[in-house]
Amino acid sequence: MPANLPPQYIELEREYRAEKDPALKLELLQRMLAEIPKHKGTDHLVGELKQKISRLKKEQKQKKSGATRHDAPDHVPKEGIAQYALVGPPNSGKSTLLAAMTNATPEIADFAFTTRKPLPGMTDYEGVQLQMVDLPPVCSQFCENWVTNIVRVADIALVVLSLGADDVLDSYEDTVKRLEQSKIILNNDPPAMDQPVNLMNKRTILVANQADQPGADDRLNIMREVMELRFPVAKVSAKTGENLDQLKKTMFSILGKIRVYTKTPGREADFSDPVVLSYGATVADAAQVIHKDFAFKLQFAKIWGQHTFDGQRVKGDFEVHDGDVLEFHI
Ligand SMILES: Nc1nc2c(ncn2[C@@H]2O[C@H](COP(=O)(O)OP(=O)(O)O)[C@@H](O)[C@H]2O)c(=O)[nH]1
Ligand SMILES: [Mg+2]
């Protein structure tokens, strides 16, 4: 077994082992493949994963052509670098948030169950694409299993609550309870050693929405006191747009990823198209993303960033940091 598998991979593998549904298993395998650092030590594992993926795909196809086809909307293909499920009680502003942050056009209304199927939308964070998925409410009153299935495979839960609602604490408890029924625990820590394998920790950001409502600050203070807030909290208003940029920043930083930019000699860096890498990645990892052969042929790179002097020459094993600019020489 090769060393240096990132924690995201280990967590996905755990979910994969616990998962029964073949469609979700396939989704998890694809995400595992995306998280594996590609080098000689992982060649074998990559091959194994690809085999499992193609086998499952074949099985899925056969099943679909059979007679018992049914169309539960329990799968949203992942786009961008991560998928964020909008989770929460009715009327907290999930659909409004999706409309404010992405190009999607969800139905928004003042009654509880306007959203009936998953609706994805893409948001841009400084050139990085993040996928948000709007969902019907997660509450004990009525919540089908396909909804929690989507939360299960999403990378991050964005738990949206309304700072305009007097029952914000109760509705949060209710959402947590419903998720627990589906074996999902909102927890940003890795699973405990003795945690049952089917009980899954979902990384979470708390979106304290409707900050423009009267009494919002008081309610947020109460939430901070009463709830054990183990998550990053973003106080926003989907209606006025307040703090939505900060929320995007939090959405990116919770992933533990970094962005580096590339330039060709004699030209300016291209800041519109970052290369996204896992924390701890090297110059060679960055080269590999751009082209498979690049990492092999690489002689050296010049680097600009906070941890080096401008244009410093570095080798492939040099660790890169968020915001670095690289110029490859092959
Ligand atoms: N004042 C205010 N109202 C909001 C905000 N976000 C959503 N709403 C309103 O809350 C109601 C429910 O919004 P919706 O997005 O459909 O909630 P969902 O059920 O969570 O999808 C609508 O009337 C929205 O206009 C906000 O940030 N501030
Ligand atoms: Mg909605």
Side-chain angles (χ1 to χ4, degrees), residues 96-163:
T96 309
L97 195 66
L98 183 84
M101 293 180 71
T102 74
N103 49 358
T105 50
E107 211 179 317
I108 293 162
D110 253 335
F111 52 89
F113 294 94
T114 13
T115 308
R116 281 180 214 90
K117 51 180 203 246
L119 181 65
M122 301 301 292
T123 194
D124 176 283
Y125 170 66
E126 298 179 357
V128 179
Q129 298 300 309
L130 311 173
Q131 184 186 45
M132 299 169 77
V133 182
D134 189 21
L135 294 170
V138 174
C139 56
S140 55
Q141 191 191 356
F142 180 79
C143 170
E144 291 182 74
N145 282 333
W146 67 260
V147 178
T148 51
N149 278 346
I150 287 181
V151 181
R152 219 166 217 286
V153 291
D155 297 293
I156 308 289
L158 290 183
V159 174
V160 183
L161 300 174
S162 169
L163 292 178

Side-chain angles (χ1 to χ4, degrees), residues 37-39 260 275 277 280-298 300-301 303 314-320 326 328:
K38 313 277 186 309
H39 53 70
V260 300
V275 176
L277 301 164
T282 61
V283 168
D285 292 329
Q288 169 96 34
V289 172
I290 294 172
H291 195 281
K292 261 189 194 157
D293 294 340
F294 232 75
F296 287 117
K297 292 185 185 155
L298 186 72
F300 66 93
I303 188 166
V314 291
K315 293 272 184 207
D317 60 356
F318 190 82
E319 185 176 334
V320 288
L326 287 171
F328 297 112

Side-chain angles (χ1 to χ4, degrees), residues 90-96 108-110 209-210 212-213 237-239:
N91 283 326
S92 60
K94 299 176 292 299
S95 301
T96 309
I108 293 162
D110 253 335
N209 187 35
Q210 313 214 12
D212 59 294
Q213 296 259 30
S237 167
K239 194 170 181 180

Side-chain angles (χ1 to χ4, degrees), residues 160 167 209 268 321:
V160 183
D167 64 350
N209 187 35
E268 292 293 311
H321 296 89

Side-chain angles (χ1 to χ4, degrees), residues 259-272:
R259 293 157 305 169
V260 300
Y261 304 89
T262 55
K263 71 186 281 299
T264 38
R267 295 231 195 123
E268 292 293 311
D270 179 6
F271 286 107
S272 67

Side-chain angles (χ1 to χ4, degrees), residues 31-303:
R31 291 187 184 190
M32 283 156 71
L33 188 61
E35 290 293 347
I36 286 190
K38 313 277 186 309
H39 53 70
K40 279 218 175 71
T42 56
D43 272 358
H44 185 70
L45 191 57
V46 167
E48 244 175 46
L49 281 179
K50 284 187 175 163
Q51 247 179 10
K52 280 188 193 158
I53 287 171
S54 86
R55 204 182 314 137
L56 266 179
K57 270 190 181 161
K58 225 185 257 167
E59 280 174 24
Q60 293 285 91
K61 235 191 211 158
Q62 282 165 354
K63 227 200 277 168
K64 278 214 178 112
S65 56
T68 54
R69 181 169 172 185
H70 68 106
D71 288 317
D74 62 355
H75 175 73
V76 178
K78 178 171 156 177
E79 285 177 39
I81 65 157
Q83 190 178 65
Y84 301 78
L86 291 160
V87 183
N91 283 326
S92 60
K94 299 176 292 299
S95 301
T96 309
L97 195 66
L98 183 84
M101 293 180 71
T102 74
N103 49 358
T105 50
E107 211 179 317
I108 293 162
D110 253 335
F111 52 89
F113 294 94
T114 13
T115 308
R116 281 180 214 90
K117 51 180 203 246
L119 181 65
M122 301 301 292
T123 194
D124 176 283
Y125 170 66
E126 298 179 357
V128 179
Q129 298 300 309
L130 311 173
Q131 184 186 45
M132 299 169 77
V133 182
D134 189 21
L135 294 170
V138 174
C139 56
S140 55
Q141 191 191 356
F142 180 79
C143 170
E144 291 182 74
N145 282 333
W146 67 260
V147 178
T148 51
N149 278 346
I150 287 181
V151 181
R152 219 166 217 286
V153 291
D155 297 293
I156 308 289
L158 290 183
V159 174
V160 183
L161 300 174
S162 169
L163 292 178
D166 280 328
D167 64 350
V168 59
L169 288 175
D170 287 342
S171 56
Y172 171 72
E173 290 301 328
D174 190 49
T175 296
V176 167
K177 213 166 84 188
R178 178 61 187 84
L179 289 171
E180 282 178 7
Q181 278 170 16
S182 295
K183 308 285 183 211
I184 300 165
I185 310 289
L186 300 177
N187 190 338
N188 290 0
D189 295 329
M193 293 291 274
D194 55 354
Q195 190 163 313
V197 69
N198 64 346
L199 205 58
M200 173 185 166
N201 285 2
K202 183 57 60 187
R203 282 183 292 169
T204 299
I205 297 169
L206 203 72
V207 183
N209 187 35
Q210 313 214 12
D212 59 294
Q213 296 259 30
D217 283 331
D218 292 340
R219 291 197 189 91
L220 184 57
N221 285 336
I222 295 171
M223 279 163 64
R224 284 193 200 278
E225 274 173 34
V226 177
M227 293 156 61
E228 287 174 50
L229 290 187
R230 304 163 303 234
F231 322 115
V233 179
K235 179 186 157 200
V236 306
S237 167
K239 194 170 181 180
T240 67
E242 177 188 338
N243 257 339
L244 294 183
D245 283 343
Q246 184 60 39
L247 172 58
K248 281 191 200 183
K249 202 171 175 180
T250 309
M251 284 164 67
F252 179 72
S253 67
I254 198 173
L255 299 174
K257 304 247 181 208
I258 57 169
R259 293 157 305 169
V260 300
Y261 304 89
T262 55
K263 71 186 281 299
T264 38
R267 295 231 195 123
E268 292 293 311
D270 179 6
F271 286 107
S272 67
D273 191 15
V275 176
V276 178
L277 301 164
S278 291
Y279 194 79
T282 61
V283 168
D285 292 329
Q288 169 96 34
V289 172
I290 294 172
H291 195 281
K292 261 189 194 157
D293 294 340
F294 232 75
F296 287 117
K297 292 185 185 155
L298 186 72
Q299 302 282 333
F300 66 93
K302 285 186 174 181
I303 188 166

